Each structure stands twice: as C-alpha cells, then as structure tokens.
Amino acid sequence: MPLDVPALLSETGALLTGHFRLSSGLHSPSYVQCARLLEDPGNAKAIGRALAERINPLEPRHIVAPALGGVIIGFTVAEALGAPMVFTERKDGVMTLRRGFALEANEPVVIVEDVVTTGKSTRETAAVVESHGARVVGYASILNRSGSVRPFDRPYEALLALSLETHPESDCPLCRAGVPLDAPGSRYSAKR
Ligand code: ZN
C-alpha cells in the first residue's frame, strides 16, 4: 500500500487547527506538529523508507540531520538506506557537529529534515557538512512548506508539499473573530 502522508497527518493529530502565530509572524488556522507523525515507530519507519527510495539515486554515504526535528526521520531514512547517520546541533546558537561524529573527505551526504520552511537550519547544516570536508549531494524532508519546489541549490525530495492558509496579523479573520491565539512551541495539544 503506498504511503498516504495526508491521511497520516490527520490520523496522528499532527495537523492542528486553531489560531497560531507561526515563526514567520504570520497567523494561520493550522499548524503541523511533525513529531506526532513520527510518534509511532511503524509510521516513522514507513516514512523513512519512502524518503529513502527518493534519495537512493544520490548514493549518500552518510545521512546528516539537524537536531532535534531531523533526528528521528534522519535515523529511519539512514536505516532504510543502510547508511550511517549523524546529527548536528546548536551550541551557543551555532550549528555544530559534536559527540565525536566525523565525516570523510569528499564523501556524498544527504541532509534530512522533518519540515523545510525557510530552510535556514538545513542550510546551516550544509555549511557544517562542507566545513568537515564532505559533499552535500542533496536534501530531503517529509514536508515541504517552503512554497518552492526547489528551495536549495542541489536536488531536493519531499513526500508532501503543504501550503497552509496564512494571514498577516493586521488582517487576520481569526483575530477579528476574537479567537484566542495559540503559540506553537508552548502548547501542542491537538485536543481542545
Ligand atoms: Zn490572528
């Protein structure tokens, strides 16, 4: 059975509805909490396999994922490919490769994320990979919320492009209707 990501999003409670302020500052009636999509290890493995199939032609020797969001999906993609996986993390705000993780000179690497929106942490991870002498040959994420099919300068694969309704704070129908604002990051409850 092919993987139905939109169905999984609603079944797992990953797609929230309400009134949210996104990191961009825009308001939206929906929010995606990707961690819920990966809560069941069976789903995480199935999604990892589907994404691994897409990036297999790039022949990565290492998967690199930014913590925390990329870790679970990076791991299941790597498992499906039979490749090792390392993660980058922020130290004093700067993306770094720690814990004794190393990359070989010139080895092909694919960077895996849960969601790409602005692509900022993904690009920072690419810079870390290159500073360690390896080569970024592509990018992959479960969801593409960047609004572009080609947000990076290398091949990019996503299982689902998702554009959600957004409004500027100055012209938000939910604000006008007096709906209380949820702040993603502080409260993630799908049941309200
Ligand atoms: Zn609003």
Side-chain angles (χ1 to χ4, degrees), residues 51 55 110-114 116 138-142 152 155-158:
L51 209 47
I55 63 172
V110 169
I111 294 173
V112 175
E113 263 280 26
D114 55 352
V116 166
Y139 299 89
S141 67
I142 307 167
F152 304 110
Y156 168 57
E157 294 288 344

Side-chain angles (χ1 to χ4, degrees), residues 47-161:
I47 293 167
R49 277 194 302 272
L51 209 47
E53 268 177 38
R54 303 277 200 93
I55 63 172
N56 194 35
L58 299 171
E59 299 183 347
R61 294 272 303 278
H62 243 114
I63 296 299
V64 180
L68 192 60
V71 169
I72 295 171
I73 184 62
F75 185 85
T76 60
V77 166
E79 181 188 37
L81 290 170
M85 174 269 189
V86 298
F87 58 86
T88 58
E89 59 198 300
R90 289 188 192 281
K91 164 104 172 122
D92 302 324
V94 180
M95 200 66 93
T96 52
L97 192 63
R98 307 177 71 199
R99 303 173 193 268
F101 285 149
L103 299 169
E104 277 174 43
N106 217 33
E107 72 171 333
V109 162
V110 169
I111 294 173
V112 175
E113 263 280 26
D114 55 352
V115 188
V116 166
T117 47
T118 64
K120 182 171 176 280
S121 61
T122 315
R123 281 190 199 89
E124 287 172 351
T125 302
V128 171
V129 166
E130 280 162 5
S131 75
H132 279 75
R135 206 154 40 90
V136 178
V137 294
Y139 299 89
S141 67
I142 307 167
L143 302 180
N144 176 6
R145 298 200 55 198
S146 71
S148 163
V149 291
R150 203 176 152 77
F152 304 110
D153 58 357
R154 312 278 159 78
Y156 168 57
E157 294 288 344
L159 294 180
L160 180 68

